[in-house]
Amino acid sequence: MITVSFRSNSINSGTSFNAAFLANWPPKMTDPLEPDRYGPTSISFNEQILANKLAGIGFLHLGTIQNDNEILFTEPEFETLILIGSTGAKLWPVFQCSSEFADGLPEPLDRFTMRVLSRIAAELGLKVMFPFEGPPFHPFQQWALKRGGFSQSPLGVLVSEEHGPWVGFRGAFLVPDTKPSKATASRPGPCETCSDKPCLSGCPVSAVSLNNGYDVSKCKGYLRTTPNADCWSGCLARRACPFGREHKQTPENARFHMESFIRLAEG
């Protein structure tokens, strides 16, 4: 029996994660990894299998990095970190089918992510970490920059050439040294070679600048006082980015995140 702990909570692998279910996603309006609906399955760790299963439920395998003096893994027995992310276009329809989406309780996306990734981690004998557990918070952006392929953008978010500014970090798996994984080769992100930088002129209140970055208070103030702003259907500066446009959020998905952003600001 494997137990994965985070914060003050523990998730136990009493009901196993079902591989056949993930391989045949999407079901018709069923909850991902619903424990009473899908029987137990044994899965041995294989990184390609992991990537395929994550993709089947809307998550992304974003690459691996090795533990060294520049990366702060708190457990020395783990040698490799696997970054897990998502884009709105892939994860949103899966999340909408979950029990967390409909239960009316706070932080539904975080709770959905925690449940699903913890189940996978327990089944494969990995440790899982989340960007929303803390303080102290795990340095997900530093890990992504170490992995390579990401740029620090004026928007404050990291941008990748493939997924643009639409990729979100959802978790990370730590792999023991008994299950070695080849680290992903590091490469630069796209922002430094983007000459036009249309994100800088996309915001209607100029809350994004090259010298000062993202002015959070200006953005929040505009959203609070302009309920019909086009920004509620997706940040205009993000939408101006030329990278990863096929991964952008739907208007409904964007409004969900904008409302969460405002609630967090007012909390």
Side-chain angles (χ1 to χ4, degrees):
M1 187 76 71
I2 300 168
T3 302
V4 179
S5 299
F6 40 84
R7 290 183 178 177
S8 60
N9 303 313
S10 294
I11 290 187
N12 190 280
S13 60
T15 304
S16 294
F17 162 84
N18 187 281
F21 164 67
L22 291 179
N24 294 285
W25 183 267
K28 294 182 179 179
M29 295 304 294
T30 55
D31 185 19
L33 306 182
E34 185 180 8
D36 295 331
R37 186 175 177 83
Y38 304 99
T41 298
S42 177
I43 303 174
S44 59
F45 179 77
N46 177 286
E47 198 166 337
Q48 186 57 55
I49 291 176
L50 173 62
N52 292 341
K53 301 311 175 184
L54 288 168
I57 51 171
F59 291 94
L60 298 169
H61 182 304
L62 294 175
T64 61
I65 54 176
Q66 297 295 325
N67 197 356
D68 58 30
N69 291 332
E70 298 179 29
I71 300 296
L72 300 177
F73 295 2
T74 56
E75 293 81 3
E77 68 271 21
F78 293 99
E79 288 292 330
T80 303
L81 182 144
I82 302 173
L83 276 173
I84 308 302
S86 69
T87 63
K90 297 292 185 181
L91 186 62
W92 181 249
V94 182
F95 171 52
Q96 285 181 300
C97 296
S98 72
S99 57
E100 290 85 355
F101 182 80
D103 65 16
L105 298 176
E107 307 300 342
L109 182 56
D110 288 351
R111 291 185 291 109
F112 167 75
T113 298
M114 183 179 290
R115 175 170 65 90
V116 173
L117 295 188
S118 295
R119 183 80 58 81
I120 295 173
E123 189 66 35
L124 299 181
L126 310 176
K127 180 180 175 63
V128 63
M129 299 184 295
F130 300 99
F132 45 80
E133 56 180 345
F137 296 98
H138 299 298
F140 272 78
Q141 286 202 349
Q142 292 179 37
W143 290 338
L145 291 171
K146 174 73 174 179
R147 182 266 181 200
F150 291 91
S151 298
Q152 184 70 59
S153 74
L155 302 169
V157 300
L158 297 189
V159 174
S160 77
E161 185 170 356
E162 180 179 0
H163 301 106
W166 305 107
V167 63
F169 303 118
R170 299 298 169 203
F173 293 136
L174 290 181
V175 184
D177 57 4
T178 54
K179 299 173 180 177
S181 175
K182 185 177 180 181
T184 310
S186 180
R187 65 183 190 278
C191 290
E192 294 171 1
T193 59
C194 180
S195 57
D196 294 339
K197 293 184 170 44
C199 61
L200 297 178
S201 58
C203 178
V205 291
S206 301
V208 180
S209 71
L210 192 59
N211 293 329
N212 299 318
Y214 173 44
D215 189 329
V216 179
S217 61
K218 185 179 287 188
C219 174
K220 291 175 183 174
Y222 179 69
L223 288 171
R224 287 194 188 102
T225 58
T226 319
N228 296 321
D230 194 19
C231 305
W232 284 100
S233 296
C235 171
L236 297 184
R238 274 196 185 191
R239 284 156 60 182
C241 178
F243 300 102
R245 284 177 170 168
E246 67 272 25
H247 299 289
K248 69 180 181 180
Q249 299 163 343
T250 64
E252 183 183 12
N253 184 194
R255 177 167 284 275
F256 170 86
H257 285 289
M258 286 295 192
E259 289 175 348
S260 297
F261 171 60
I262 292 298
R263 282 197 301 271
L264 181 64
E266 295 174 346

